[in-house]
Amino acid sequence: MPTLNLMVLVCLAYVALLFIVAFAADRLAATGRSTWLRSPLIYTLSLSIYCTAWTFYGAVGYAARSGLEYVTIYLGPTLVMVGWWWGLRKLVRVGRSQRVTSIADLISSRYGKSNLLAICVTVLAVVGITPYIALQLQSITLSFSIFFEEGTAGGYNDASVVFWVAAGLAVFAILFGTRNLDANERHHGVVTAIALEAVVKLIALLGVGIFVVWGLSGGVSETMARIDASPIGQWQMNGSRWATITFLAMAAFVCLPRMFQVMVVENDDERHLRTASWAFPTYLLLISLFVVPIAVVGLEVMPKGSNPDMFVLTVPLSQGQEALAMLSFLGGFSSATSMVIVAAMALSTMVSNHVVMPIWLSSQSDRASVSGDVRHVILLSRRVSIAAIMALGYFYFRLSGGGAALASIGLISFAGIAQILPALVGGLYWRGATRSGALAGLTVGFGLWLYTLLLPGLGGGLMPDWVLQDGPFGLSWLRPHALFGIEGLDPIVHSVVWSMSLNVAAFCAASLLSFPSPLERLQGAQFVNVFDHSSGPRGWTGSVAQSEDLMIMSQRILGAREAQELFQREAALQGGRGHLPEPTPLFLERLERELGGSVGAAAAHAMIGQIVGGSSVSVEDLLAVADESAQLMEYSGQLEVKSTELARTAKKLREANEKLTQISLQKDDFLSQISHELRTPMTSIRAFSEILRDTDELSMPEQNRYATIIHDEALRLTRLLNDLLDLSVMENGQVTLNMRDGSLSDVLDRAVSAVLAGAEGSLVVRRRRGSEEVQVRSDLDRLAQVFINLIANAQKYCDAPQPELTISVHDVGGQVVVDFIDNGSGVPEQAQSTVFEKFFRVNAEKAGGAGLGLAISREIMLRLGGDLIYQQGQSGGAFRVTLPLAGQEAAL
Amino acid sequence: MGRHVLLIEDEANIAEAIRFLLTRDGWQVDTHADGSDAVEVVCAAKPDLVILDMMLPGKSGMDILRELRAIDGLHDLPVLMLTARGQSRDRDMAEKAGVSRFMTKPFSNIEVLTAVRDLLAQASRT
């Protein structure tokens, strides 16, 4: 009979072996040469963590108690593997392309990277798995106690054994799961160790089974006869329980964090699923093959009242098969440890990533960028999480009293985890599923599960008996085992029916009623259409082909020569031959940085991910790329705006320059005009004054005439200078206007008499006195000056035989209009546009002035708030003066 | 050689002064005040010398000079050009167009007389 010390020694030796295997596998994986490590066989064996101590010990107990119902536990995963392998393939593809690290990560990722959802799933998983971990503790403790009771009598303390088992498993899980921090969360070593454990437990169970069938019963036919005789062989099927538990097993197989870990996260190649789809059901068949014989024989051989959960161990022991018992013990130990390790790893990843790290990061927002530090913190938080999860399991075990059958604890766990299923499957196949829907479904399902299954199942008075009996507050329809008055159902069936149906209903209703955010919508499309977005199945391992792809891509971005130099440099650094470096993480990191310098970090990450990860570009990557391009576009947009501004400024400058040139030309022109106008009278004056001075024999009339010419020309000079000054003052706006009220007819009287008085010529001025009685407010002297100029022009230039000037006054649109129309030929059409220019003269022969009169007049009228224009289409010369009425302020 | 001068000038007073001066010096002076038909008038009158004002109604003195120089037999016709616009650009243009003498207003009488005498003396020598 092995002693406890021996047992502990064997356990430690076994653990050491597992360590060596894991370590070797990790080393092998790091070199990248181990193809068998990535074989579908290892993958299939790793899936066997589905079979925990519950399966190893509990299935026999289950069969001993409830007959063939235990089959449902194996039926569920088999149905999923055979009937839903395409769904699993989608799950694996999504997990790979989204680089998810856990089921919480997957759910959160699908629904717009909602950390709230991740926390929700994490809490649900922790609460759901806690009974399961307690189950492993219980089974190990039980198996220890078997040996202990048989060995030394007395002194056995159940609680302390459980504590030490829990502590030992925690250390074990910490050592295994958090030895190092792998970026992609894949643990080749652990997976290999688990595969080994899978073999051990299969061999152990098969060994016990063979011993029972051939050793105890004496052959297959005898065994069959015994089964037929026993009540287990009776087909007593409870339909609703069957369906419910099969469904739970299916859901748990997909949703259990540890199953998700080995099936999706640790998956190396989605083609492995094809092998697993027949190999894993085969494994399940083998492991369940001898359950019934062991149960039947156990019931016969073992004394009444012995725990059927331990038959696998106690039957060989009772027959003195210590070696077989030891193997069986190791098988059970394997089942428990592998489950605990992977479950703790998966849960700690979730807790650490979604609960601890966000809190830590937000509290350390300043120093979070210190990368070395973060790594340390992540590892620490995972270790603490594992310890905490194990502690929870321990306390659950203490609380529940450890009396419940293994199978029922397992089912409670399954029912809790199954609440994730609607959000998961909905997320994979229904684009309309939203974050609110997932949250609602999870909350409702989780709440109902707590209320109807977990809390009533817990001993220790967490749920008082009267609540179970009469419902809370005496509301009988709220009784945990008979919600809404539906009674008589098995508690498991009752809970699953209610929680799952309301979960699905809440999920669908909230999804339909809420609108997904853009990120959610994009992620939804990425998930539902994952096969359109990601590349086909191929290994995720690095290869030379990838290096070539990377080279081609880099050449496009960096330029051929630069890329070649970079790759050669890296190859030399790796100490390899040839031009292409191995795509190690270090190299990829450097390359990403290098490319990031050219195309932006997000785009570089997405490009390298596309080639190396073989994964599709995630939505986050796409958004980041879009962000960067948006920034670039904005920047180029700004540049464009600047360049248009520059162009506009340049155009303005050019225009200003042209204007200045024009003004300068105009000024030159003006100056030479003035020069001409001044020099012309001066020429006459000089010439005649010299004639008067130098010529002696001039007659008196001649002297008189020449002196008169000199005098007139001098006056002309004076007039010219006055006009110029007038114009200059007017144009500069320095003129002071003497605004007065007055009668228009008075002003016209003054002007007409000033022109006609003492002038030769026959101009007849016609006026209509009646219309002239208009009061105007204006500078009356300036106005008279304009009128004088217009009348004098008519007098000078009207070429009719009997020149006439008609002055008429109208009121047009609140303004006074004075028309001056003569009966001559008028201003020639080509000259009409220039008639108001300075120095314009229609006919030089008749010129009395310098051609400034109309220019000055027009300037005056503009100053007075009116205008002076030439009217086309009249029979003769026609000028129109417009001026505001009295009472209307002149626009100065 | 003849002593026939054609004076093309629109300012009546200036024309009268120059006519007075030249007539007293023994020249026969015809005057014309319009630019537009000045070339025809020159061709018809066949003067020994033309005094041409730059700013004329109808056609500028510069254009008239160019047209005259383009006519056979008038290449060497002495042309004295007068201008009131004191711009050196005008002088350059006139010289390019083939002016014989360029004079800016106001001028002294003796300058005009001397210029006319010189030009006719040169013309008679060649």
Side-chain angles (χ1 to χ4, degrees):
Chain A
M1 175 60 60
T3 64
L4 183 67
N5 287 339
L6 180 65
M7 298 301 302
V8 173
L9 203 67
V10 167
C11 286
L12 289 180
Y14 182 63
V15 169
L17 172 71
L18 290 181
F19 255 115
I20 291 164
V21 168
F23 186 70
D26 268 343
R27 285 287 297 272
L28 218 57
T31 60
R33 275 176 292 135
S34 58
T35 48
W36 65 268
L37 268 184
R38 298 197 180 84
S39 78
L41 189 67
I42 297 280
Y43 178 70
T44 306
L45 286 174
S46 76
L47 289 182
S48 76
I49 55 158
Y50 177 77
C51 309
T52 63
W54 173 24
T55 321
F56 193 83
Y57 295 123
V60 174
Y62 202 158
R65 289 189 193 93
S66 315
L68 288 174
E69 196 175 281
Y70 82 95
V71 174
T72 53
I73 301 298
Y74 302 99
L75 195 57
T78 306
L79 284 177
V80 170
M81 265 304 184
V82 176
W84 201 54
W85 60 268
W86 41 274
L88 292 179
R89 195 166 67 103
K90 188 166 191 177
L91 195 63
V92 167
R93 178 73 70 87
V94 164
R96 179 61 52 197
S97 72
Q98 297 287 327
R99 298 189 198 92
V100 301
T101 56
S102 65
I103 189 160
D105 194 24
L106 181 98
I107 298 281
S108 123
S109 188
R110 162 61 179 85
Y111 299 104
K113 319 251 168 187
S114 155
N115 200 50
L116 180 64
L117 257 181
I119 291 172
C120 229
V121 175
T122 303
V123 169
L124 176 62
V126 169
V127 176
I129 298 305
T130 300
Y132 217 144
I133 288 174
L135 177 69
Q136 311 304 314
L137 294 180
Q138 186 183 359
S139 63
I140 293 180
T141 310
L142 274 175
S143 61
F144 264 121
S145 69
I146 298 288
F147 282 96
F148 207 86
E149 279 163 8
E150 301 274 336
T152 48
Y156 177 75
N157 186 335
D158 206 30
S160 72
V161 171
V162 173
F163 176 79
W164 285 112
V165 169
L169 284 178
V171 171
F172 192 43
I174 287 171
L175 287 175
F176 255 103
T178 64
R179 252 182 331 125
N180 48 17
L181 197 59
D182 215 14
N184 54 12
E185 299 297 344
R186 268 183 274 158
H187 310 80
H188 290 293
V190 176
V191 169
T192 311
I194 286 167
L196 176 67
E197 294 198 286
V199 175
V200 169
K201 62 192 177 194
L202 182 62
I203 289 173
L205 211 55
L206 286 179
V208 174
I210 288 167
F211 167 73
V212 164
V213 171
W214 281 279
L216 283 178
S217 301
V220 179
S221 51
E222 287 82 354
T223 313
M224 286 303 171
R226 285 184 186 213
I227 292 173
D228 283 341
S230 113
I232 297 174
Q234 312 292 309
W235 190 255
Q236 294 166 327
M237 192 172 133
N238 178 338
S240 67
R241 260 186 81 89
W242 260 75
T244 305
I245 296 172
T246 307
F247 168 76
L248 281 184
M250 289 170 77
F253 184 68
V254 180
C255 296
L256 275 170
R258 68 170 195 278
M259 290 314 297
F260 191 86
Q261 179 79 28
V262 291
M263 192 156 56
V264 178
V265 181
E266 306 280 357
N267 180 278
D268 269 325
D269 188 335
E270 65 186 51
R271 283 172 298 193
H272 290 175
L273 270 174
R274 211 183 304 163
T275 310
S277 71
W278 60 261
F280 185 64
T282 308
Y283 183 92
L284 289 180
L285 179 72
L286 287 176
I287 213 163
S288 62
L289 198 58
F290 293 105
V291 168
V292 173
I294 296 172
V296 169
V297 174
L299 283 175
E300 277 181 23
V301 195
M302 294 307 290
K304 287 270 180 235
S306 56
N307 188 349
D309 281 337
M310 285 294 123
F311 279 173
V312 179
L313 211 51
T314 49
V315 169
L317 214 53
S318 68
Q319 303 300 316
Q321 297 289 333
E322 288 181 11
L324 188 60
M326 197 56 143
L327 181 65
S328 165
F329 171 76
L330 273 186
F333 187 72
S334 287
S335 312
T337 50
S338 59
M339 181 274 170
V340 169
I341 290 167
V342 180
M345 254 167 51
L347 285 179
S348 73
T349 304
M350 284 156 71
V351 171
S352 158
N353 283 4
H354 301 297
V355 182
V356 179
M357 287 317 285
I359 295 171
W360 186 81
L361 283 176
S362 65
S363 70
Q364 301 270 318
S365 51
D366 311 336
R367 286 174 288 146
S369 51
V370 187
S371 56
D373 211 13
V374 170
R375 192 187 153 83
H376 178 74
V377 169
I378 291 174
L379 276 180
L380 185 68
S381 91
R382 292 216 175 149
R383 284 169 186 160
V384 172
S385 304
I386 288 177
I389 289 161
M390 290 308 297
L392 271 179
Y394 172 70
F395 284 118
Y396 181 91
F397 177 75
R398 295 298 303 276
L399 213 61
S400 65
L406 295 181
S408 66
I409 302 182
L411 283 178
I412 291 175
S413 209
F414 275 18
I417 290 302
Q419 303 304 328
I420 302 175
L421 192 70
L424 178 73
V425 176
L428 281 181
Y429 289 102
W430 183 31
R431 284 185 65 171
T434 68
R435 174 174 170 273
S436 310
L439 262 179
L442 278 174
T443 317
V444 167
F446 184 48
L448 281 170
W449 169 73
L450 271 183
Y451 183 68
T452 57
L453 206 57
L454 185 69
L455 292 182
L458 272 180
L462 271 182
M463 182 169 277
D465 280 346
W466 59 266
V467 174
L468 275 173
Q469 296 299 317
D470 305 321
F473 318 111
L475 299 171
S476 62
W477 57 273
L478 277 182
R479 270 176 295 162
H481 283 166
L483 271 188
F484 306 112
I486 295 182
E487 289 186 63
L489 281 182
D490 183 273
I492 285 270
V493 176
H494 171 265
S495 171
V496 169
V497 165
W498 277 119
S499 61
M500 284 311 288
S501 57
L502 291 182
N503 179 338
V504 171
F507 172 66
C508 292
S511 288
L512 289 173
L513 290 176
S514 61
F515 290 96
S517 69
L519 185 60
E520 262 185 87
R521 214 169 288 170
L522 280 167
Q523 285 291 84
Q526 288 270 319
F527 273 62
V528 174
N529 306 321
V530 66
F531 291 113
D532 303 335
H533 293 299
S534 60
S535 52
R538 60 167 157 153
W540 311 112
T541 53
S543 68
V544 177
Q546 280 178 2
S547 288
E548 272 166 11
D549 290 348
L550 285 171
M551 177 79 168
I552 289 165
M553 181 187 73
S554 306
Q555 279 181 334
R556 281 194 199 144
I557 294 167
L558 300 173
R561 208 165 51 83
E562 282 79 359
Q564 240 157 22
E565 278 171 14
L566 175 73
F567 275 61
Q568 277 174 12
R569 205 163 55 234
E570 290 295 329
L573 268 178
Q574 288 181 358
R577 309 165 299 281
H579 301 309
L580 290 175
E582 288 286 313
T584 60
L586 189 68
F587 165 63
L588 292 178
E589 203 175 290
R590 278 195 208 143
L591 182 62
E592 188 178 321
R593 229 178 4 244
E594 202 78 28
L595 295 179
S598 301
V599 296
H605 184 75
M607 287 168 169
I608 291 182
Q610 187 78 28
I611 291 175
V612 179
S615 57
S616 83
V617 182
S618 82
V619 177
E620 246 177 5
D621 294 342
L622 282 177
L623 287 182
V625 172
D627 257 6
E628 274 172 7
S629 2
Q631 278 170 11
L632 277 178
M633 269 166 66
E634 198 183 326
Y635 182 59
S636 76
Q638 283 171 356
L639 281 182
E640 215 165 276
V641 168
K642 274 200 183 126
S643 88
T644 17
E645 259 172 28
L646 273 179
R648 209 179 300 138
T649 312
K651 195 179 164 220
K652 273 187 193 155
L653 279 175
R654 209 164 42 239
E655 281 170 1
N657 191 33
E658 272 166 18
K659 211 170 191 175
L660 279 176
T661 314
Q662 216 171 357
I663 286 173
S664 159
L665 282 177
Q666 279 174 353
K667 195 196 70 187
D668 286 355
D669 220 39
F670 184 65
L671 280 176
S672 75
Q673 286 274 9
I674 290 177
S675 162
H676 179 261
E677 295 305 318
L678 288 172
R679 282 166 194 266
T680 302
M682 274 157 70
T683 308
S684 299
I685 291 170
R686 187 172 178 185
F688 282 110
S689 55
E690 280 183 17
I691 288 170
L692 286 175
R693 187 191 63 195
D694 299 338
T695 320
D696 302 327
E697 66 274 25
L698 281 177
S699 65
M700 274 307 284
E702 275 180 323
Q703 285 184 18
N704 235 339
R705 175 172 166 71
Y706 297 156
T708 308
I709 290 176
I710 291 170
H711 176 255
D712 287 349
E713 295 287 1
L715 283 184
R716 183 176 160 191
L717 265 180
T718 313
R719 212 164 47 238
L720 177 69
L721 283 173
N722 283 340
D723 281 357
L724 279 174
L725 285 175
D726 222 11
L727 193 63
S728 155
V729 165
M730 204 88 68
E731 280 184 340
N732 289 334
Q734 294 160 331
V735 66
T736 34
L737 295 169
N738 181 18
M739 303 298 279
R740 284 180 293 147
D741 288 323
S743 160
L744 189 60
S745 70
D746 288 352
V747 182
L748 280 169
D749 283 349
R750 251 168 69 198
V752 170
S753 55
V755 176
L756 297 186
E760 79 277 25
S762 52
L763 182 71
V764 177
V765 177
R766 297 184 184 282
R767 294 166 63 183
R768 290 207 301 268
R769 293 268 167 196
S771 63
E772 287 173 9
E773 294 307 320
V774 179
Q775 286 292 308
V776 292
R777 180 175 177 78
S778 194
D779 185 325
L780 300 178
D781 294 333
R782 289 287 185 184
L783 194 57
Q785 188 187 344
V786 172
F787 291 166
I788 288 169
N789 182 257
L790 291 174
I791 299 165
N793 278 351
Q795 191 185 42
K796 255 185 260 176
Y797 300 114
C798 182
D799 49 4
Q802 281 152 356
E804 279 182 19
L805 175 68
T806 308
I807 301 174
S808 55
V809 180
H810 321 274
D811 186 332
V812 176
Q815 287 189 310
V816 181
V817 168
V818 188
D819 285 336
F820 295 81
I821 302 173
D822 64 34
N823 59 347
S825 55
V827 177
E829 206 174 322
Q830 74 273 10
Q832 280 172 6
S833 56
T834 50
V835 75
F836 294 107
E837 302 268 306
K838 285 162 262 187
F839 305 107
F840 171 83
R841 273 172 296 183
V842 172
N843 192 336
E845 278 172 275
K846 288 187 179 178
L852 291 171
L854 280 174
I856 292 171
S857 295
R858 183 187 168 91
E859 205 62 47
I860 289 172
M861 287 321 299
L862 290 174
R863 294 286 151 200
L864 290 175
D867 202 359
L868 171 61
I869 55 169
Y870 185 80
Q871 280 187 292
Q872 285 172 297
Q874 298 288 340
S875 55
F879 289 89
R880 163 169 287 191
V881 174
T882 314
L883 70 161
L885 277 166
Q888 287 182 318
E889 274 305 306
L892 284 175
Chain B
M1 58 165 265
R3 299 174 67 81
H4 182 201
V5 174
L6 179 59
L7 171 60
I8 305 175
E9 167 65 81
D10 62 325
E11 277 287 332
N13 289 337
I14 295 172
E16 187 174 345
I18 293 172
R19 178 209 279 275
F20 178 89
L21 284 172
L22 294 183
T23 310
R24 266 180 53 93
D25 203 41
W27 310 89
Q28 180 204 335
V29 179
D30 287 327
T31 57
H32 186 72
D34 193 10
S36 45
D37 56 351
V39 175
E40 289 78 10
V41 171
V42 171
C43 290
K46 295 191 173 39
D48 299 305
L49 183 139
V50 173
I51 300 177
L52 184 59
D53 185 25
M54 181 101 94
M55 297 256 292
L56 287 167
K59 193 180 278 180
S60 81
M62 202 71 80
D63 288 342
I64 295 168
L65 174 62
R66 288 199 192 98
E67 285 181 34
L68 288 177
R69 288 299 183 225
I71 294 170
D72 273 351
L74 297 184
H75 300 300
D76 300 323
L77 176 67
V79 173
L80 168 61
M81 196 167 229
L82 303 174
T83 179
R85 308 198 321 182
Q87 288 191 333
S88 57
R89 208 176 52 199
D90 290 341
R91 178 186 290 270
D92 298 340
M93 275 172 68
E95 276 170 2
K96 242 179 230 166
V99 78
S100 313
R101 187 69 65 92
F102 191 86
M103 201 175 275
T104 310
K105 294 174 184 177
F107 43 79
S108 75
N109 293 350
I110 194 71
E111 277 179 299
V112 178
L113 275 177
T114 314
V116 171
R117 286 177 191 154
D118 284 358
L119 286 172
L120 279 171
Q122 281 172 21
S124 62
R125 256 182 272 129
T126 51

